[in-house]
């Protein structure tokens, strides 16, 4: 059993589905205006052609088109009234019957305003163009004919507005998934020479030195790699890994320095953990900074 509190069999009734206009108001009005103008042109041309075919008195085409356009101009001006009426048709039961009753009254109001506005525009147009008075047959049969046409026009436009304004709302877009930053994958360090490439562990580098147009890498396991490059370019690539220049022709991994022996000249002799001994120049900031780097590398 249903009650007025919106509960059915102990369950809360679901809310009505969300709706949203299929077209923006200016778009639907533009579309309706274009259709009305097209209908006016077709009706005007057809009326003149039919009159000529049956041999009757033919009203000039510009006058007939003015009559038709004056009618659709008033219809277009009353379109917001029709849209408001269409909005009353909603729900079910008493609410729906009430909306239909409102629209029945609006049909009569729409027809009265349409006829009055159309006749007024035509009289003003005839007077302005010097065409003589415009006559309108206000007999009962003519009024019934006009109301019947206006009712059809109202219903077609009301249905158009109702279908547009009550289109199902599109489902909300899911929130964009934001990937949580994870640990960056270590791509390693690549030594490329022509079409070949070798991946090495930067921590295994002991020293790097220039050899003419080539650069030689010495690794902790004794392997050596010779690639075509400049020492300056390799120095820039190795900066993120802590490899430093100690001589005009050589780079050293401070973590591989086992002993630093300073000379009176300010230069130094570096003993590496491989047992090799290489010279270091004071021009490249050896001394305390290199000693601290090497100490830090051993502690790490």
């Amino acid at each position: 059993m249903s009650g007025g509190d919106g509960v059915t069999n102990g369950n809360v009734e679901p809310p009505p589905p969300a709706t949203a206009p299929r077209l923006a108001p200016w778009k639907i009005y533009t579309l309706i205006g274009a259709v009305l103008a097209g209908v006016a042109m077709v009706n005007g041309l057809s009326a003149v052609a039919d009159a000529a075919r049956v041999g009757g008195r033919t009203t000039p085409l510009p006058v007939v088109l003015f009559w038709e356009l004056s009618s659709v101009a008033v219809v277009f001006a009353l379109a917001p009234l029709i849209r408001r009426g269409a909005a009353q048709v909603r729900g079910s039961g008493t609410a729906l019957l009430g909306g239909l009753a409102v629209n029945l009254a609006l049909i009569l109001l729409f027809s009265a305003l349409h006829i009055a506005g159309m006749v007024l525009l035509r009289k003003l147009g005839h007077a302005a163009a010097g065409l003589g008075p415009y006559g309108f047959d206000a007999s009962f049969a003519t009024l019934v004919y006009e109301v019947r046409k206006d009712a059809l026009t109202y219903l077609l436009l009301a249905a158009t507005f109702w279908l547009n304004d009550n289109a199902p709302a599109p489902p909300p877009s899911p929130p964009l998934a934001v990937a949580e930053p994870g640990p960056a994958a270590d791509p390693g360090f690549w030594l490329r020479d022509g079409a070949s490439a070798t991946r090495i562990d930067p921590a295994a580098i002991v020293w790097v030195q220039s050899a003419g147009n080539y650069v030689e890498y010495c690794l902790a396991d004794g392997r050596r790699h010779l690639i075509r490059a400049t020492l300056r370019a390799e120095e820039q690539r190795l900066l993120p890994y802590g490899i430093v220049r100690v001589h005009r022709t050589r780079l050293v991994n401070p973590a591989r320095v086992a002993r630093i022996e300073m000379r009176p000249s300010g230069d130094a002799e570096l003993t590496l953990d491989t047992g090799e001994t290489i010279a270091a120049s004071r021009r490249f900031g050896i001394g305390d900074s290199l000693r601290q780097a090497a100490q830090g590398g051993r502690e790490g």
Side-chain angles (χ1 to χ4, degrees):
M1 179 179 294
S2 299
D5 55 0
V7 177
T8 304
N9 296 329
N11 297 323
V12 179
E13 293 182 354
T19 60
R22 193 180 300 272
L23 293 177
W26 71 269
K27 290 184 178 180
I28 192 67
Y29 281 115
T30 299
L31 177 62
I32 288 175
V35 171
L36 290 175
V39 170
M41 298 296 291
V42 171
N43 286 346
L45 293 172
S46 299
V48 172
D50 290 344
R53 187 170 56 253
V54 298
R57 186 171 65 89
T58 303
T59 304
L61 178 61
V63 176
V64 176
L65 290 178
F66 169 69
W67 291 347
E68 294 293 336
L69 290 173
S70 64
S71 174
V72 299
V74 176
V75 171
F76 184 77
L78 295 173
L81 176 68
I82 301 175
R83 187 183 184 198
R84 182 177 293 273
Q88 305 304 312
V89 181
R90 59 180 181 271
S92 60
T94 304
L96 178 60
L97 292 177
L100 294 177
V102 168
N103 277 270
L104 182 59
L106 287 177
I107 288 175
L108 298 177
L109 176 61
F110 167 77
S111 183
L113 294 175
H114 175 231
I115 294 172
M118 173 186 68
V119 171
L120 177 61
L121 287 179
R122 292 178 182 180
K123 286 182 176 293
L124 292 175
H126 273 243
L131 298 176
Y134 172 76
F136 178 74
D137 179 13
S139 65
F140 179 77
T142 300
L143 292 177
V144 170
Y145 170 76
E146 293 292 341
V147 170
R148 187 170 65 246
K149 287 198 309 179
D150 288 343
L152 179 60
T153 301
Y154 182 99
L155 292 175
L156 289 175
L157 292 180
T160 301
F161 281 122
W162 191 91
L163 291 173
N164 181 73
D165 292 344
N166 290 276
S173 301
L176 294 176
V178 179
E180 302 231 350
D186 181 11
F189 188 82
W190 289 88
L191 301 179
R192 293 181 173 84
D193 186 27
S196 64
T198 303
R199 183 176 182 271
I200 66 172
D201 181 2
I205 298 173
V206 178
W207 52 257
V208 182
Q209 71 176 12
S210 63
N213 294 328
Y214 292 84
V215 171
E216 183 179 12
Y217 279 78
C218 177
L219 304 184
D221 60 3
R223 289 182 300 154
R224 298 197 178 191
H225 297 278
L226 193 66
I227 64 171
R228 188 175 183 84
T230 65
L231 190 64
R232 181 181 297 274
E234 294 306 289
E235 180 182 9
Q236 295 301 313
R237 289 212 302 148
L238 289 166
L239 278 178
Y241 302 103
I243 311 297
V244 297
R245 185 187 287 261
V246 296
H247 191 272
R248 182 175 58 84
T249 62
R250 183 166 288 180
L251 311 176
V252 165
N253 184 351
R256 295 292 178 178
V257 176
R259 184 170 178 271
I260 301 174
E261 185 175 345
M262 301 302 299
R263 301 298 185 190
S265 63
D267 294 337
E269 186 177 83
L270 308 180
T271 302
L272 307 177
D273 59 4
T274 59
E276 297 175 273
T277 300
I278 63 174
S281 172
R282 65 179 183 274
R283 293 175 51 198
F284 297 98
I286 60 172
D288 292 341
S289 60
L290 184 57
R291 189 180 300 111
Q292 292 171 3
Q295 183 65 30
R298 284 195 295 272
E299 291 175 354

